[in-house]
Amino acid sequence: MNTDRRRINGPSGGTSAPLFVQAVKDVGYLQSLRPERTRGPNELRTICKLLQTSIVPSASGSAYLEIPMSRSTTTPTTLIKPSSALKLVCSIQGPKPLPRSVPYSPSLVLTTTVKFAPFASRTRRGYIRDAVERDLGVHLETALRGVIIGERWPKSGVEVVVTVLEGDEDGWWGDDELGAKGGGWGVLNVLAGCITVSSAAIADAGIDCVDIVSGGVAAIIRNPGSKKGNEVVRVLDPCFADHKDIVAACAVGYLAGRDEITEAWTKGNVGARGNELMEGATHAAVGSLSVLKEALLEAVEAKYQGQATVGKLSAKKTETTEDVDMSG
């Protein structure tokens, strides 16, 4: 045994030869990494326990939504994730009085802002809002404008700010390596998530609404297992990284209690299946609504339970407090 402390001793056991991984840019190896959808066409991704409210103390209302990535049938052999998750944070500022320089408004002035974090996607984003973020803000405002009862806050304004910590992708990352460009499908999932998380934050802020709005997405894809090659199938809550050939997709903001659609955004060649695609998106929105209602109910129960505990402690303290004679 070498006892020379000035030298780095070798390992006590044997050593193995280094194993080099295969190049990711190899076309055959790259195609083997493509993820596949393991869920059924009408099965949604689970978001239970990943929707929370009151996470920003300085805001009037806030919410956090996380939708995990789809499970893939392929075994991961690289450090690159097959698909991304969806992580959104929404904060509500207001309602608050408008500046005196602003003309009188008989109803609430709604302002929506959607901003991607610089690290939200594989390609680093800038700090200035781009066209995609502005489009998302406009669609989100349209979805929320028909929900809030604005007549109760004249000459007041509320600002809805959604920060995308991790955004759903337009397609599989391997297609970028092969030279194919995404079709911008991921913004539909981002819009549906923004509608759901904004609705939870608005309810947390105590702003009166006609109903709870939720977002849902449906898509029409070509069935890779069909023999003819032109067979299409409708899927709910698609993860666009799991599908190679997407025909059309639709995102909606849906009021289940009133059976109304406040916003609809469609991309692709819908053809004669527009009603079917819209119906699938509303079904996905109903699935998100069930989780949204459960999260809001838990938040309300925790809030009133805390208030009841504080009331009991204050009442007990009042009963045990004795008057002190200050005359002497």
Side-chain angles (χ1 to χ4, degrees), residues 295-315:
L296 294 178
L297 182 60
E298 292 179 358
V300 171
E301 291 178 351
K303 180 179 179 181
Y304 282 98
Q305 185 177 3
Q307 291 180 357
T309 304
V310 173
K312 291 180 180 179
L313 293 177
S314 61

Side-chain angles (χ1 to χ4, degrees), residues 2-304:
N2 188 6
T3 59
D4 190 356
R5 297 183 177 181
R6 294 174 297 178
R7 300 179 183 274
I8 300 176
N9 299 328
S12 57
T15 60
S16 58
L19 178 64
F20 297 96
V21 298
Q22 191 172 359
V24 177
K25 292 188 177 181
D26 188 0
V27 178
Y29 175 64
L30 192 61
Q31 290 294 341
S32 65
L33 300 178
R34 178 181 291 274
E36 295 180 1
R37 182 185 177 106
T38 57
R39 297 175 287 130
N42 298 327
E43 184 179 355
L44 307 179
R45 287 178 287 181
T46 174
I47 60 175
C48 187
K49 303 300 181 183
L50 296 178
L51 177 61
Q52 300 178 359
T53 58
S54 303
I55 63 169
V56 181
S58 60
S60 303
S62 59
Y64 171 77
L65 173 65
E66 179 179 348
I67 301 178
M69 68 180 70
S70 298
R71 295 181 180 180
S72 176
T73 56
T74 59
T75 303
T77 56
T78 65
L79 297 178
I80 304 176
K81 295 190 300 182
S83 60
S84 63
L86 184 62
K87 300 176 182 179
L88 306 171
V89 176
C90 178
S91 61
I92 307 295
Q93 303 296 334
K96 54 186 177 181
L98 294 175
R100 294 184 178 180
S101 58
V102 178
Y104 175 78
S105 176
S107 61
L108 184 68
V109 177
L110 176 64
T111 305
T112 57
T113 303
V114 179
K115 186 69 182 74
F116 283 83
F119 50 83
S121 58
R122 299 186 189 273
T123 303
R124 188 171 180 85
R125 290 181 172 270
Y127 293 94
I128 302 176
R129 295 179 63 197
D130 54 12
V132 175
E133 294 168 338
R134 289 192 293 269
D135 288 343
L136 286 172
V138 172
H139 286 284
L140 179 60
E141 180 181 358
T142 305
L144 299 179
R145 187 173 296 278
V147 180
I148 299 176
I149 306 176
E151 292 76 10
R152 298 187 179 181
W153 289 277
K155 202 179 180 182
S156 300
V158 62
E159 186 176 1
V160 180
V161 181
V162 180
T163 303
V164 183
L165 301 179
E166 186 174 354
D168 209 344
E169 300 175 351
D170 296 337
W172 180 50
W173 62 269
D175 292 334
D176 297 336
E177 298 291 337
L178 298 175
K181 296 183 179 180
W185 306 103
V187 295
L188 298 178
N189 279 339
V190 174
L191 175 61
C194 289
I195 294 174
T196 304
V197 73
S198 299
S199 181
I202 289 174
D204 183 54
I207 300 176
D208 295 339
C209 300
V210 297
D211 197 359
I212 301 176
V213 61
S214 59
V217 183
I220 296 177
I221 63 171
R222 298 193 185 277
N223 190 2
S226 63
K227 298 181 180 180
K228 297 181 180 180
N230 57 355
E231 181 182 354
V232 295
V233 61
R234 187 194 69 181
V235 295
L236 306 185
D237 190 19
C239 183
F240 294 103
D242 298 344
H243 306 291
K244 184 177 181 180
D245 195 355
I246 305 169
V247 180
C250 176
V252 299
Y254 182 61
L255 297 174
R258 302 167 64 96
D259 194 18
E260 295 180 2
I261 294 178
T262 60
E263 170 61 20
W265 190 4
T266 306
K267 296 178 67 69
N269 185 14
V270 179
R273 307 187 64 174
N275 293 335
E276 180 185 359
L277 187 62
M278 193 81 66
E279 183 181 0
T282 56
H283 289 170
V286 171
S288 300
L289 179 63
S290 60
V291 181
L292 179 59
K293 288 183 176 180
E294 183 179 355
L296 294 178
L297 182 60
E298 292 179 358
V300 171
E301 291 178 351
K303 180 179 179 181
Y304 282 98

